[in-house]
């Protein structure tokens, strides 16, 4: 196993409100980690500590065994894609310009290389080439979300952070985007950290699931383990519908007579 991200005894508070404390987590390279938990439990806070958007007040975050506090933040972010809910596209730029934004910063001279990279990522996220010259307001919500994902991947990062990325799209589009992101993970081997408030999404996508409640880790295990052996009452309540759906009961639970 190869470690890629490690949180070491992290504390973060706002005013006198502690958000996370004694937070420790090790994420392995190539994992698709889904983070699920109640609203305000610290999911976004944890995610943003990985790309330095939020700094812990004590403790350290390590990426590939390097303390990110000692790293150049620009170089760090270049290797970390970031996709969030809703349209975060530049409204005055075309689809092509949006996706090419970071690659252009990285290799200004090689226009052809950037062009082919844009085509490749559009194809991977399931966008037609005829959308290249459209502006964000000429796309559906689902298409905008795809462009956002393509843009976050265009610099070929090692790590992709996603914060409720499919929260604002309809159910069908959501299903399609879930399939695309699973494909991307399989094809690229990228490490994905994916925050969601939808337990079925967390179970479906994750190779590992992190369940959080009030800044604390309730469970950190494979999805089937979360369903089979919920570690706490909080987790058990969270997964009760999923357990029902997959017809999972505790061994000591009375089986239905029907
Ligand atoms: N800049 C801020 N100032 C004060 N409180 C904040 C700030 N950002 C987040 N919080 C609080 O920290 C807690 C955790 O937030 P967050 O990590 O965004 O939760 P979530 O799990 O919903 O993503 C919440 O109670 C939120 O209100
Ligand atoms: Mg959040």
């Amino acid at each position: 196993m190869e470690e890629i991200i490690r949180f070491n005894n992290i504390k973060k508070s706002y005013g006198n409100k502690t958000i996370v404390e004694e937070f420790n987590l090790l994420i392995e390279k190539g994992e698709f980690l889904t983070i699920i938990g109640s609203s305000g439990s610290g999911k976004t806070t944890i995610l943003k500590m990985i790309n330095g958007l939020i700094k812990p007040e004590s403790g350290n975050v390590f990426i590939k065994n390097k303390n990110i506090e000692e790293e150049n933040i620009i170089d760090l972010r270049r290797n970390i894609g970031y996709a969030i809910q809703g349209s975060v596209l530049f409204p005055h730029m075309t689809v092509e310009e949006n996706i090419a934004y970071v690659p252009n910063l990285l290799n200004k001279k090689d226009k052809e290389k950037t062009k082919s990279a844009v085509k490749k990522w559009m194809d991977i996220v399931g966008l037609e080439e005829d959308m290249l010259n459209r502006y964000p307001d000429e796309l559906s919500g689902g298409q905008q979300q795809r462009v956002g994902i393509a843009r976050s991947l265009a610099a070929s990062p090692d790590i992709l952070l996603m914060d409720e990325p499919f929260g604002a799209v309809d159910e069908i589009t959501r299903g399609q985007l879930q399939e695309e992101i699973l494909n991307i993970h399989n094809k690229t081997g990228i490490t994905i950290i994916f925050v969601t408030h939808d337990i079925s999404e967390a179970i479906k996508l994750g190779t590992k699931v992190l369940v959080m409640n009030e800044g604390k880790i309730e469970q950190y295990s494979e999805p089937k383990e979360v369903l089979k052996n919920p570690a706490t009452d909080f987790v058990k309540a969270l997964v009760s519908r999923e357990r029902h759906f997959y017809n999972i009961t505790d061994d000591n639970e009375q089986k239905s007579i029907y």
Side-chain angles (χ1 to χ4, degrees):
M1 91 101 200
E2 194 179 336
E3 139 178 0
I4 190 159
I5 301 165
R6 180 156 43 98
F7 291 85
N8 203 348
N9 206 16
I10 299 289
K11 181 178 181 190
K12 175 75 188 172
S13 32
Y14 291 108
N16 56 11
K17 192 173 177 229
T18 302
I19 308 302
V20 289
E21 198 170 13
E22 292 174 32
F23 185 88
N24 293 289
L25 183 72
L26 194 155
I27 303 170
E28 288 173 36
K29 187 169 184 282
E31 210 78 74
F32 193 143
L33 174 65
T34 51
I35 305 182
I36 174 102
S38 42
S39 173
S41 59
K43 304 182 297 296
T44 296
T45 303
I46 290 303
L47 196 76
K48 285 182 171 176
M49 282 183 190
I50 299 171
N51 62 1
L53 285 173
I54 293 179
K55 288 194 175 28
E57 69 188 76
S58 64
N60 296 105
V61 180
F62 295 85
I63 294 184
K64 296 179 190 164
N65 290 302
K66 287 184 185 151
N67 185 342
I68 64 170
E69 232 176 77
E70 291 155 15
E71 297 294 297
N72 178 313
I73 195 81
I74 306 295
D75 291 339
L76 178 78
R77 288 197 190 140
R78 215 166 260 169
N79 265 314
I80 305 179
Y82 185 48
I84 60 176
Q85 179 179 320
S87 180
V88 288
L89 304 175
F90 302 121
H92 57 287
M93 290 186 189
T94 63
V95 166
E96 179 170 22
E97 288 163 347
N98 264 284
I99 300 173
Y101 186 75
V102 176
N104 272 334
L105 291 178
L106 295 180
N107 55 4
K108 277 202 160 68
K109 291 188 192 94
D110 201 340
K111 291 270 179 245
E112 279 313 307
K113 193 174 164 194
T114 300
K115 241 189 162 58
S116 66
V118 169
K119 290 218 173 90
K120 178 184 96 174
W121 285 111
M122 286 194 53
D123 186 43
I124 290 175
V125 302
L127 288 168
E128 305 289 333
E129 245 184 66
D130 65 3
M131 288 177 187
L132 275 171
N133 297 316
R134 286 204 223 160
Y135 287 88
D137 67 359
E138 298 166 335
L139 302 172
S140 73
Q143 289 164 344
Q144 288 180 23
Q145 206 66 65
R146 285 169 199 263
V147 177
I149 294 167
R151 194 180 64 176
S152 66
L153 287 165
S156 298
D158 299 328
I159 299 169
L160 177 60
L161 308 178
M162 308 186 87
D163 198 347
E164 307 202 13
F166 309 150
V169 297
D170 62 84
E171 210 45 48
I172 294 169
T173 307
R174 189 182 179 91
Q176 291 168 344
L177 287 170
Q178 288 171 343
E179 293 306 321
E180 305 293 0
I181 202 68
L182 281 174
N183 277 332
I184 289 165
H185 181 249
N186 288 338
K187 275 188 205 159
T188 62
I190 190 172
T191 305
I192 300 181
I193 322 294
F194 186 109
V195 170
T196 176
H197 60 250
D198 178 344
I199 181 66
S200 68
E201 183 168 74
I203 297 288
K204 176 179 172 190
L205 298 181
T207 55
K208 284 265 182 66
V209 178
L210 179 75
V211 184
M212 296 203 31
N213 184 30
E214 296 181 350
K216 294 267 186 308
I217 296 175
E218 297 272 334
Q219 189 160 5
Y220 179 38
S221 35
E222 288 178 17
K224 64 170 189 292
E225 190 59 22
V226 175
L227 291 178
K228 264 169 70 181
N229 294 309
T232 63
D233 288 345
F234 178 86
V235 181
K236 194 157 188 179
L238 187 74
V239 298
S240 70
R241 280 186 57 186
E242 293 307 297
R243 277 160 64 91
H244 209 75
F245 182 73
Y246 292 105
N247 209 7
I248 297 168
T249 51
D250 288 351
D251 294 337
N252 57 359
E253 248 172 39
Q254 192 95 47
K255 292 262 187 319
S256 163
I257 55 165
Y258 297 106

